[in-house]
Amino acid sequence: LGDMLKEMDRVFDDAFQRAPCVLFIDELDSFCARNGHDSHNDKYMHSVVNGLLTHLTAAQSVEGLILLGATNFIDLIDPAVIRPGRFDLKLAVDAPDIAGIIRIFNTSLGDVVPDVSNIAPRLVGQSGATIAAISRDALGRARRDESPLTLRHLEAAAVPYLGSEDRRDLTRIAMHEAGHVIVGLASGMPAPTAIRLTAAGGEVHYSTVSAYTPETAQSRLCLLLAGRAAEILFCGSPSSGAGAGVTSDLAVATSLAIEMEFKWGFGETTLWSGLTSDRLELAPADARHRIQARISAAEAKAARLLKSYEHSCKNLAEHLLRFRELSGMELKAILTELADEMQLADTPPHSFTLASQAESIGITTI
């Protein structure tokens, strides 16, 4: 502990003396919350986090010092570390879009770059590090062949990361994602910020809502189940993708229904409970039936809305199949067109009161 705090002192003192400068702290989640349950390390983490907080406070008064941090797990960081005044601006760095993938290829592959416009859309959803690794692999293949880099080398390197090109699979995924969006529009929920077909399936990105009313929570539940409802309506049956993992549509919908019933006072009781979806069997039978009823009613409503706006849903799915990703002004134009087609008063706003991060819903292929 003494060595850790001494080294932290040295780094910050060095930054203070070198200002103007940038001090970058990687893996910021190492400074995890002090209210954790690991009693063995509690005293150590208290001292480490307190030491960091002292330096962050002092850094506010150092003119020209820019403090940056990076993490893959922002929820694990002690809240005091990332509060305003210490880290004011929080940016979510998502996987690159098609244009970003092409730029990474152009940067990584050197002077002679093959036309990657056909392969880039099939890599949507992969990280920038993965795209860079594909580039290195392709260059290695070209060296082994003792030839200039060609599209053949790039395609061979990308094979492990490419998703299915089966038209039926892609159509199912596109209809699933379109179902989320159409039901969201019809329910007055905030508009999505991006829609993508990825190598792992598909996803729709929304800004995270910080507070719900009973009405908006029920609309959110309906939106979560709309992808599965769209598969049943337009493909004849659901797939496993809607329930593939703890971040899947069904998992998030179940957690939301539990929160409505046991935490937010939207059910028959205003008593708070810490019940989670993995302990749902501990809930009374009547409470489980109420949760199931909420989910079933939301899915039924989603199916009715999708039946009413079938043409709009299929129209959006066709756009997604064609472009693989929709975002920015292009997405806004399509949503405006859909709102007119669906005879909605206007396109729902892109956000209301938002938290500092985004979330995605959709289908995961397994």
Side-chain angles (χ1 to χ4, degrees), residues 60-81:
Q60 297 177 43
S61 60
V62 179
E63 185 175 354
L65 175 60
I66 298 174
L67 187 63
L68 300 178
T71 178
N72 289 321
F73 305 100
I74 194 169
D75 293 338
L76 299 183
I77 303 172
D78 192 284
V81 172

Side-chain angles (χ1 to χ4, degrees), residues 55-323:
H55 289 303
L56 294 178
T57 300
Q60 297 177 43
S61 60
V62 179
E63 185 175 354
L65 175 60
I66 298 174
L67 187 63
L68 300 178
T71 178
N72 289 321
F73 305 100
I74 194 169
D75 293 338
L76 299 183
I77 303 172
D78 192 284
V81 172
I82 55 175
R83 70 159 174 78
R86 288 173 176 147
F87 287 95
D88 292 319
L89 179 63
K90 299 173 182 66
L91 299 174
V93 182
D94 201 1
D97 57 12
I98 293 175
I101 291 170
I102 293 173
R103 283 196 295 270
I104 294 172
F105 276 138
N106 289 339
T107 301
S108 304
L109 294 176
D111 297 332
V112 182
V113 181
D115 182 3
V116 296
S117 57
N118 288 328
I119 194 173
R122 297 180 62 190
L123 292 168
V124 169
Q126 299 292 349
S127 68
T130 297
I131 306 304
I134 292 172
S135 300
R136 290 192 298 271
D137 189 357
L139 290 169
R141 292 170 185 269
R143 283 194 298 271
R144 289 192 293 274
D145 288 347
E146 298 182 349
S147 73
L149 179 70
T150 67
L151 185 59
R152 175 176 59 84
H153 296 121
L154 197 60
E155 289 175 337
V159 164
Y161 307 99
L162 298 176
S164 170
E165 284 299 292
D166 184 277
R167 182 71 181 182
R168 289 178 300 177
D169 289 344
L170 291 174
T171 299
R172 175 184 288 275
I173 296 169
M175 293 302 304
H176 180 113
E177 307 310 332
H180 285 307
V181 176
I182 295 301
V183 168
L185 291 176
S187 302
M189 296 298 286
T193 57
I195 317 170
R196 292 173 175 168
L197 292 184
T198 72
E203 57 193 31
V204 183
H205 288 248
Y206 291 92
S207 296
T208 306
V209 179
S210 63
Y212 286 101
T213 65
E215 293 74 24
T216 58
Q218 192 64 31
S219 293
R220 165 70 171 161
L221 196 60
C222 191
L223 182 153
L224 284 166
L225 295 162
R228 186 173 186 274
E231 289 188 58
I232 295 171
L233 182 62
F234 301 122
C235 303
S237 63
S239 72
S240 60
V246 296
T247 60
S248 67
D249 293 345
L250 287 178
V252 176
T254 301
S255 295
L256 176 58
I258 289 173
E259 290 178 319
M260 294 168 69
E261 187 71 32
F262 288 104
K263 298 182 180 181
W264 298 346
F266 296 169
E268 294 188 4
T269 176
T270 54
L271 295 177
W272 189 93
S273 168
L275 183 72
T276 55
S277 58
D278 60 337
R279 306 298 298 275
L280 185 56
E281 71 278 3
L282 299 179
D286 61 332
R288 294 200 304 272
H289 290 320
R290 291 198 301 272
I291 291 169
Q292 178 63 68
R294 282 185 185 275
I295 292 174
S296 298
E299 186 173 49
K301 181 180 179 182
R304 291 194 299 272
L305 289 171
L306 289 170
K307 187 64 177 177
S308 298
Y309 299 114
E310 179 176 346
H311 180 267
S312 297
C313 191
K314 291 181 177 179
N315 187 14
L316 178 57
E318 285 298 324
H319 276 90
L320 190 54
L321 284 167
R322 179 181 177 187
F323 297 106

Side-chain angles (χ1 to χ4, degrees), residues 13-29:
D13 288 344
D14 189 30
F16 293 167
Q17 294 172 19
R18 289 173 178 264
C21 70
V22 174
L23 175 57
F24 174 59
I25 305 176
D26 201 5
E27 310 298 352
L28 196 59
D29 50 276

